[in-house]
């Protein structure tokens, strides 16, 4: 967020110098546009369904954006990581894809360039947040 504000300030200053306009007029014009875009984006993102993740003592339950559900037992996980800070993703690799419920098919949950049985789920707008999920994964999964 700080980088976005600093970038917007630099672009506004550049625009004011190049087009010989008062800085406060540039701030009013682009600040209003930025506020409208931010409010519209926030409203649209809040209307999107959240990704349901449920962590129990035995299992990680995931529901994908299209309603597909998958359950993986903790003992069946080769690895589980939350990757990325600004755009976090959950990446889970099962030991045996046929032991998930329902059994995973190749590339069912994966993205291009990843292994065929990697579960890749975007965590944008997830609450309580990716840091809490990182701590829970570290607590529940054995270290190697």
């Amino acid at each position: 967020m700080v980088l976005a504000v600093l970038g917007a300030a630099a672009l506004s200053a550049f625009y004011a110098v190049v087009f010989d306009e008062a800085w406060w007029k540039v701030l009013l014009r682009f600040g209003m546009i930025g506020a409208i875009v931010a409010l519209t984006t926030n409203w649209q993102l809040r209307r999107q369904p959240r990704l349901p993740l449920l962590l129990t003592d035995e299992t990680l339950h995931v529901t994908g954006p299209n309603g597909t559900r998958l359950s993986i037992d903790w003992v069946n996980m080769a690895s589980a990581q939350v990757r990325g800070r600004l755009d976090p993703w959950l990446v889970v690799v099962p030991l045996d894809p046929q032991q998930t419920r329902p059994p995973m098919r190749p590339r069912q949950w994966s993205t291009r360039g990843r292994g065929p049985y990697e579960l890749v789920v975007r965590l944008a707008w997830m609450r309580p947040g990716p840091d809490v999920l990182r701590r829970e994964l570290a607590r529940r999964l054995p270290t190697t």
Side-chain angles (χ1 to χ4, degrees):
M1 184 65 93
V2 172
L3 292 175
V5 170
L6 291 175
L11 287 175
S12 298
F14 177 77
Y15 183 89
V17 169
V18 169
F19 293 103
D20 194 29
E21 196 169 338
W23 67 269
W24 57 272
K25 287 184 180 179
V26 174
L27 186 63
L28 283 176
R29 179 181 306 129
F30 292 113
M32 181 66 71
I33 292 170
I36 290 170
V37 168
L39 289 172
T40 303
T41 303
N42 190 19
W43 177 73
Q44 287 176 341
L45 288 174
R46 289 191 187 277
R47 289 184 57 222
Q48 290 179 350
R50 299 281 196 274
L51 174 70
L53 284 175
L54 176 63
L55 287 76
T56 64
D57 289 336
E58 299 85 24
T59 309
L60 167 71
H61 302 279
V62 179
T63 303
N66 59 357
T68 307
R69 295 176 189 220
L70 184 72
S71 298
I72 303 175
D73 293 331
W74 294 111
V75 295
N76 189 28
M77 284 193 202
S79 68
Q81 299 176 339
V82 177
R83 297 182 184 163
R85 286 281 173 196
L86 296 177
D87 189 22
W89 294 81
L90 173 64
V91 180
V92 178
V93 179
L95 290 171
D96 183 5
Q98 299 307 312
Q99 295 297 317
T100 63
R101 292 174 306 279
M104 284 178 74
R105 295 184 313 269
R107 306 262 179 241
Q108 178 182 8
W109 289 79
S110 188
T111 58
R112 196 168 188 191
R114 297 199 180 265
Y117 290 105
E118 282 186 333
L119 170 75
V120 181
V121 182
R122 189 167 186 220
L123 299 176
W125 301 97
M126 188 187 83
R127 294 290 175 245
D131 291 331
V132 172
L133 182 57
R134 279 186 182 96
R135 284 193 300 271
E136 284 298 312
L137 290 175
R139 185 175 72 83
R140 293 174 190 269
L141 293 174
T143 57
T144 54

